Amino acid sequence: MRILLLDKNHPLITEQLLAKNFILEEDFTSSYDEVCNKIENYDGVIIRSRIPLDKNFLEKAKNLKFIARVGAGMENIDIPVAEKMGIQLINSPEGNRDSVAEHVVGMLLILMHRLFIASQEVKNGIWLREENRGDELLGKTVGLIGYGNMGKATAKRLSGFGCKVIFYDILPNLSDEYATQVTLKELKEQAEILSLHIPLTDESYYLIDGPFISDMKNDFYFVNTARGKNIETKSLVEALKAGKVKGACLDVLEYEKSSFENIEGENEDLQYLLNSEKVIVTPHIAGWTVQSKEKLAQVIVDKIIAQFA
């Protein structure tokens, strides 16, 4: 099988697939149109986020047997068209779930214990104790939306901090030793921390908006390591200013490019997030560790070999 690699990944992908006699071509620079013009020559494609695999792309990929995304989210692919064409879709959420879970806990600790603020103050000769009194995770009720690989890994960590973890998911009967499944109404009534672990779909676009935030019974901390467009930024900013959202941990932003490589444009809401002491922002790196790079790649290779070698 001829496989086209469109993004740089861990070298084990190339090494192990070559060892199984796959024919590989790396192309990390060609434009969308250039790739479209040659995609019919390949049986498989391995991607991250650089190029969208939309309807036009897939219709030109007449011989494609599989699309492998090194990561979890698949919104860069026109899934209905791919499925209609019989193209196998492969991703690797198992590979970075632990990284995401640790990132969630890390951001919450930094925010709730004012670690970054206090550290910067001391480095600037300011010694404030009462003003930097923290808020403990112990005893908090954490509500997760989405209980797949990321949600489960996050629940496992937070349960170890003495949190009560509840979750809402569209699939039934997912409760385990770390978290209890509830209705969305129950989650809104109980959660003191809200964390998103969902893909970006038509149903989850702006899932968290003004009415959703108003329905939350408690003032709460908000965490998003999923996709920036899962929440309406304008509503988040309004809730932060009003105190309904006590603080936000954002690894993803509504204004990211589709390739996740940077932010597109500037506006008042974005500037508020970037300047507020109540907000922790990181550049879409929750699943981005030394270990996850290797694990993501290994999961993809194992799935390709299992189905096509």
Side-chain angles (χ1 to χ4, degrees):
M1 295 181 73
R2 295 174 60 87
I3 301 175
L4 179 62
L5 289 76
L6 289 176
D7 299 88
K8 292 181 180 179
N9 286 293
H10 196 285
L12 72 81
I13 292 180
T14 302
E15 293 165 4
Q16 294 186 23
L17 291 180
L18 285 175
K20 290 291 184 177
N21 298 316
F22 288 93
I23 301 168
L24 306 183
E25 180 185 330
E26 296 178 343
D27 185 346
F28 307 144
T29 58
S30 288
S31 68
Y32 169 87
D33 289 333
E34 290 170 333
V35 176
C36 281
N37 288 335
K38 66 177 182 179
I39 191 62
E40 67 178 347
N41 299 319
Y42 300 93
D43 303 292
V45 60
I46 300 177
I47 64 168
R48 287 196 68 90
S49 305
R50 186 172 70 86
I51 288 179
L53 275 59
D54 56 14
K55 184 173 185 288
N56 174 65
F57 182 101
L58 294 173
E59 287 177 345
K60 294 180 185 299
K62 295 180 173 60
N63 297 302
L64 213 56
K65 309 292 190 304
F66 73 83
I67 298 167
R69 166 119 207 287
V70 184
M74 305 285 274
E75 72 272 11
N76 220 30
I77 303 165
D78 192 324
I79 294 174
V81 171
E83 291 177 341
K84 186 177 179 180
M85 294 175 65
I87 299 171
Q88 183 74 28
L89 299 177
I90 302 169
N91 65 343
S92 53
E94 306 92 334
N96 61 353
R97 60 190 174 194
D98 297 314
S99 175
V100 169
E102 290 190 10
H103 200 89
V104 170
V105 175
M107 286 199 297
L108 280 170
L109 291 173
I110 288 169
L111 181 72
M112 295 171 67
H113 286 267
R114 298 176 61 86
L115 300 180
F116 181 75
I117 296 168
S119 176
Q120 290 300 109
E121 287 176 350
V122 173
K123 289 181 178 181
N124 287 312
I126 303 168
W127 188 273
L128 299 175
R129 299 186 67 219
E130 185 58 37
E131 293 84 348
N132 284 308
R133 191 178 287 275
D135 191 9
E136 295 180 10
L137 275 171
L138 178 66
K140 294 283 193 299
T141 298
V142 180
L144 309 177
I145 298 183
Y147 206 62
N149 282 281
M150 312 303 174
K152 290 175 183 177
T154 300
K156 182 177 181 180
R157 270 62 174 194
L158 288 171
S159 64
F161 277 83
C163 295
K164 174 186 177 183
V165 186
I166 58 176
F167 69 89
Y168 169 76
D169 195 284
I170 58 175
L171 299 177
N173 305 316
L174 298 177
S175 294
D176 57 24
E177 61 188 299
Y178 303 115
T180 303
Q181 190 160 8
V182 297
T183 66
L184 193 56
K185 183 174 183 291
E186 290 171 323
L187 184 142
K188 290 176 181 178
E189 290 173 349
Q190 298 178 42
E192 298 164 281
I193 297 170
L194 177 65
S195 185
L196 303 186
H197 301 277
I198 50 178
L200 182 62
T201 64
D202 291 341
E203 291 74 27
S204 68
Y205 183 91
Y206 279 2
L207 175 67
I208 312 300
D209 56 10
F212 188 107
I213 292 171
S214 296
D215 286 345
M216 295 287 288
K217 179 180 178 181
N218 302 307
D219 295 345
F220 64 100
Y221 295 100
F222 176 72
V223 186
N224 192 6
T225 54
R227 289 292 184 263
K229 290 183 174 65
N230 290 140
I231 182 164
E232 185 181 43
T233 306
K234 181 178 178 61
S235 295
L236 173 62
V237 169
E238 290 173 355
L240 283 162
K241 290 178 178 177
K244 180 65 178 179
V245 174
K246 298 163 73 173
C249 303
L250 307 174
D251 182 55
V252 291
L253 293 167
E254 180 181 347
Y255 314 109
E256 285 180 78
K257 290 183 177 181
S258 60
S259 63
F260 310 137
E261 291 173 343
N262 214 322
I263 297 172
E264 291 182 310
E266 293 187 11
N267 58 63
E268 289 183 9
D269 292 329
L270 175 60
Q271 286 307 308
Y272 177 86
L273 296 178
L274 298 181
N275 293 319
S276 174
E277 286 190 344
K278 297 165 72 173
V279 181
I280 300 291
V281 184
T282 52
H284 204 131
I285 56 167
W288 209 254
T289 59
V290 173
Q291 292 80 11
S292 72
K293 183 177 182 179
E294 181 173 349
K295 287 189 283 187
L296 284 165
Q298 191 63 63
V299 169
I300 284 293
V301 167
D302 291 345
K303 289 182 178 181
I304 291 173
I305 289 174
Q307 294 186 55
F308 298 102

